[in-house]
Amino acid sequence: MKKTIKIVLISLTFLSLLFISFYLILRFSFQEELELYPIEVSNNTELKIGIIGDSWVAGEKLDSLLNTNLSKNGIEAKIMSSGHSGAKSKLIYKNMFEDKNKENSSKFIIESHPDYCIVIAGVNDAIGQIGGKFYTYHLSLIIKTLLRNNIKPIIVELPEFGISEYTNKLNLIKKKRYELFAMFNNDGDIDNIKAYRKNLNTSLEKQDLNNKIIFIDFDQICEDFDDCKEIYRADGVHLNIKGNTLLSEAIAKELIKEIR
């Protein structure tokens, strides 16, 4: 009987370790660069703008606002968006290659060959304490994919949001798990936004990508979460109507400057 119990316990321990290992590999592994697919370039001169990203993009939050801001300045454009709620930068990259029949695929945007593609990513990377290198690596892949398809990337800087406040509201197990990940990936500091930004900026400079993109400095919208909570929803993570209006205005401003 004791021998049977011992075997069961060893088996359960082994399976638990196997599950944890699989979970960590799946969570923190870097995506291999995916092969580009052929895109037909249309002779249509219509200005096209794509938007890809996470829940900040889902539900066409920026489409009409951006369109209005551009129209006010005499610029008409076709705007297409694809946002995947909860997606980290790795998944946003993979969605660019997913079959168009899949729910969160953004392949249709790339295949439409927009002149510009706005990328909003990183909030879920930051919340999940996935690490600045993970975020930077996959965002770089997104940028390179767009550039190789002759689409100019418009990168929205990792936003300032209530990351500490949000983490403190999580259930105890999830909170402790994220605190543990933060110890390995950001010296235990939950508020990793500035570290992730620095990591990305350094990497873009090294790869000579910083001068090939349009960069939206989020500090012009919100420099410190404590000073601009009125532009966020109650969760402190997502922008409200006022916040999305400010973001769309900031993007439109840079786009108009670029186009003219």
Side-chain angles (χ1 to χ4, degrees):
M1 184 66 177
K2 286 183 180 180
K3 187 178 180 180
T4 304
I5 292 171
K6 189 175 181 181
I7 292 170
V8 169
L9 289 173
I10 291 171
S11 299
L12 288 173
T13 301
F14 174 76
L15 288 172
S16 297
L17 290 171
L18 195 65
F19 173 79
I20 292 169
S21 299
F22 179 74
Y23 166 77
L24 291 174
I25 291 169
L26 196 65
R27 183 179 179 86
F28 293 103
S29 63
F30 286 31
Q31 174 64 46
E32 287 184 15
E33 189 166 355
L34 299 171
E35 188 176 344
L36 292 178
Y37 42 84
I39 293 176
E40 291 184 19
V41 180
S42 170
N43 292 323
N44 191 337
T45 57
E46 178 185 32
L47 177 64
K48 288 184 286 188
I49 301 168
I51 312 175
I52 61 173
D54 49 34
S55 56
W56 280 48
V57 177
E60 301 181 347
K61 292 182 178 73
L62 293 172
D63 296 44
S64 60
L65 291 168
L66 184 57
N67 226 328
T68 300
N69 279 301
L70 292 174
S71 292
K72 284 178 184 176
N73 290 274
I75 298 171
E76 299 302 324
K78 179 182 179 181
I79 299 176
M80 307 154 283
S81 66
S82 177
H84 188 168
S85 295
K88 297 179 179 68
S89 54
K90 178 180 177 178
L91 188 51
I92 294 168
Y93 171 66
K94 289 174 70 177
N95 284 342
M96 297 169 76
F97 296 82
E98 288 286 0
D99 189 280
K100 288 180 287 185
N101 295 324
K102 293 200 173 181
E103 183 182 359
N104 294 299
S105 170
S106 59
K107 191 176 183 179
F108 74 96
I109 291 178
I110 310 305
E111 286 189 333
S112 71
H113 201 268
D115 301 275
Y116 303 94
C117 186
I118 300 160
V119 182
I120 304 177
V123 167
N124 295 302
D125 297 62
I127 288 174
Q129 300 296 333
I130 212 77
K133 289 182 180 178
F134 180 101
Y135 161 68
T136 294
Y137 172 80
H138 293 102
L139 202 60
S140 295
L141 286 184
I142 293 170
I143 292 170
K144 289 174 185 176
T145 301
L146 293 173
L147 288 172
R148 285 168 186 163
N149 283 304
N150 295 312
I151 302 167
K152 187 147 192 178
I154 300 175
I155 307 300
V156 176
E157 184 177 35
L158 176 61
E160 174 68 28
F161 67 98
I163 183 170
S164 298
E165 290 81 354
Y166 180 83
T167 303
N168 286 332
K169 291 176 185 175
L170 295 172
N171 66 63
L172 185 62
I173 294 175
K174 202 167 188 178
K175 181 185 175 185
K176 291 299 178 186
R177 186 165 75 240
Y178 286 174
E179 286 175 351
L180 180 63
F181 292 159
M183 285 178 65
F184 287 100
N185 289 319
N186 198 43
D187 297 325
D189 190 0
I190 293 294
D191 189 351
N192 52 30
I193 295 170
K194 285 184 173 58
Y196 280 34
R197 287 179 176 182
K198 184 178 179 182
N199 201 306
L200 177 66
N201 290 333
T202 302
S203 178
L204 292 181
E205 284 181 17
K206 283 182 179 178
Q207 298 178 80
D208 194 29
L209 292 173
N210 56 324
N211 60 354
K212 296 174 183 175
I213 66 173
I214 298 172
F215 188 74
I216 308 299
D217 178 6
F218 198 82
D219 280 354
Q220 64 183 301
I221 301 162
C222 176
E223 191 171 349
D224 190 301
F225 175 73
D226 290 332
D227 296 330
C228 49
K229 292 181 179 179
E230 74 280 359
I231 70 170
Y232 287 89
R233 295 185 197 170
D235 62 6
V237 174
H238 298 93
L239 295 175
N240 56 25
I241 294 174
K242 181 179 179 181
N244 277 312
T245 300
L246 291 172
L247 177 56
S248 66
E249 287 172 353
I251 295 171
K253 180 183 175 183
E254 294 302 321
L255 256 173
I256 292 163
K257 195 189 301 179
E258 170 77 12
I259 291 167
R260 288 182 176 167

